[in-house]
Amino acid sequence: MKLNRQWLHTFATLVDVGQFTETAARLHMTQPGVSQHIRKLEQQLGQALLIRIGKRFELTHAGTVLYQHCQTLAAEEQRLQQALLQDNPEAGPCRFAMSGTLANQLYPLFLQRQQAFPALSVAVESAPDQRILHLLEQDEVDLGIVAEPLTQAQSQARFHSEKIGEETLCLVFPAAPDTSPLSEALLTETGLIDHPNARRYLDSVLLDLPFSLQPDTLPVHGYINQLSQILLPVSLGLGFTVLPESTILESPYSKGLRILHRTVNVREPLYLVRKRHRELASRYPWFIDCIRQTLQRS
């Protein structure tokens, strides 16, 4: 049942004040107007709310229940007003989506912030670019980091993006026993350990090589979508792969790896993306600065 909020306000004020005359004065109404609101409520509810005793009144059981309902509504409205006015930079949910590589770099830093301010709640989802844009569009995250630039239609209609850093991509091979220099033959003989971003990374790296090679011609010697495990088969001599340099250097398998090429001339740009026209809470600027500083050092 949807009750008229103005009638409810009149009723609650009457109960608080205790007199029709003073209620009318406080609400800038006439006394008959106050009585009319009470009658309309009683008609809608089908029950009497007041027992009149001269100029005074007593609440019926239905009147007591309704007054408690009015108090609950008033408390909820007060909490809503406080929430609307309060934008605490040190409290609230902080929701991000990015690649697993970036999550490895940024998540520990985000958690340090949460440790300093426990009222924050950090959530990071590792996902490919299209999934990140979907999460943003569905309001499941507030900030995303993607590697592919947005199309003009995406940028204008749904998202705002800014270039926030770059990644150095590397071709990484088993450390031993082969010490051959990088060549088309070495890539083909070694074979690719595939992962969700491998093809996109390869497209960027191959532009930087002194020879021409089509990614589709490379034999695939395995696939893994867990970032922490991508370099395990490489360290075991089962193939090569391509990853950001920071991921390789931080890997527990780094001693079994050798980097044969860094993308000196072609670095993959990274874009910070948020929903267009969506205002970010005051807790986000610290995280944006953290992302920017971290990625610019990469």
Side-chain angles (χ1 to χ4, degrees):
M1 181 183 298
K2 187 174 181 179
L3 300 174
N4 185 292
R5 297 300 289 267
Q6 186 178 2
W7 301 347
L8 289 173
H9 179 58
T10 301
F11 171 74
T13 304
L14 175 63
V15 176
D16 290 336
V17 171
Q19 293 182 353
F20 279 84
T21 303
E22 188 177 341
T23 298
R26 183 173 295 189
L27 297 179
H28 305 288
M29 298 173 63
T30 64
Q31 186 172 335
V34 173
S35 298
Q36 185 182 42
H37 283 186
I38 303 303
R39 283 198 303 272
K40 287 182 177 180
L41 272 176
E42 291 177 326
Q43 290 170 1
Q44 187 173 9
L45 293 169
Q47 296 192 60
L49 300 174
L50 307 174
I51 299 173
R52 298 179 187 243
I53 309 168
K55 293 183 177 181
R56 298 184 302 107
F57 62 86
E58 292 289 343
L59 292 177
T60 64
H61 172 71
T64 301
V65 172
L66 184 62
Y67 180 64
Q68 292 171 346
H69 175 68
C70 292
Q71 289 179 310
T72 299
L73 290 177
E76 289 178 351
E77 288 182 353
Q78 185 176 13
R79 285 194 294 269
L80 174 60
Q81 289 175 350
Q82 291 174 346
L84 291 173
L85 293 173
Q86 185 179 29
D87 184 10
N88 188 344
E90 299 169 359
C94 305
R95 306 176 304 167
F96 307 90
M98 61 192 72
S99 70
T101 301
L102 292 175
N104 272 2
Q105 288 182 264
L106 296 170
Y107 187 50
L109 302 176
F110 291 177
L111 291 183
Q112 290 177 17
R113 179 70 170 177
Q114 184 172 343
Q115 282 183 307
F117 302 101
L120 292 171
S121 175
V122 173
V124 175
E125 177 151 348
S126 176
D129 284 4
Q130 289 306 310
R131 169 69 176 163
I132 292 171
L133 296 179
H134 174 77
L135 292 172
L136 284 167
E137 192 165 27
Q138 297 300 312
D139 296 325
E140 295 182 38
V141 299
D142 296 310
L143 279 175
I145 305 175
V146 300
E148 295 183 3
L150 302 184
T151 66
Q152 186 175 5
Q154 288 174 324
S155 180
Q156 290 180 352
R158 292 179 288 171
F159 304 110
H160 169 79
S161 71
E162 63 169 296
K163 185 178 177 182
I164 200 166
E166 295 179 324
E167 287 185 306
T168 298
L169 300 176
C170 298
L171 289 173
V172 58
F173 285 74
D178 193 348
T179 58
S180 304
L182 181 63
S183 65
E184 180 178 352
L186 179 64
L187 291 170
T188 303
E189 292 167 6
T190 307
L192 175 68
I193 301 298
D194 201 3
H195 59 81
N197 291 322
R199 301 301 172 136
R200 192 183 77 238
Y201 288 166
L202 268 177
D203 287 341
S204 296
V205 172
L206 292 178
L207 293 174
D208 200 37
L209 298 181
F211 50 84
S212 177
L213 178 66
Q214 296 298 319
D216 293 341
T217 64
L218 287 171
V220 176
H221 288 183
Y223 175 88
I224 178 71
N225 67 349
Q226 293 295 321
L227 178 66
S228 61
Q229 297 297 306
I230 292 172
L231 290 170
L232 173 58
V234 178
S235 70
L236 295 176
L238 299 176
F240 80 92
T241 196
V242 54
L243 282 169
E245 185 174 24
S246 59
T247 301
I248 300 167
L249 298 179
E250 295 169 5
S251 170
Y253 311 110
S254 59
K255 291 183 179 180
L257 307 172
R258 62 177 179 141
I259 295 174
L260 285 191
H261 183 78
R262 290 176 172 84
T263 52
V264 178
N265 300 316
V266 181
R267 285 165 56 86
E268 184 170 66
L270 297 169
Y271 301 91
L272 187 67
V273 184
R274 59 180 171 84
K275 202 170 184 181
R276 186 171 291 278
H277 308 305
R278 184 180 181 88
E279 183 179 0
L280 292 175
S282 63
R283 55 187 173 272
Y284 279 102
W286 183 93
F287 291 93
I288 294 173
D289 289 341
C290 176
I291 294 169
R292 184 178 286 113
Q293 293 172 17
T294 303
L295 296 185
Q296 287 176 353
R297 290 196 300 265
S298 298

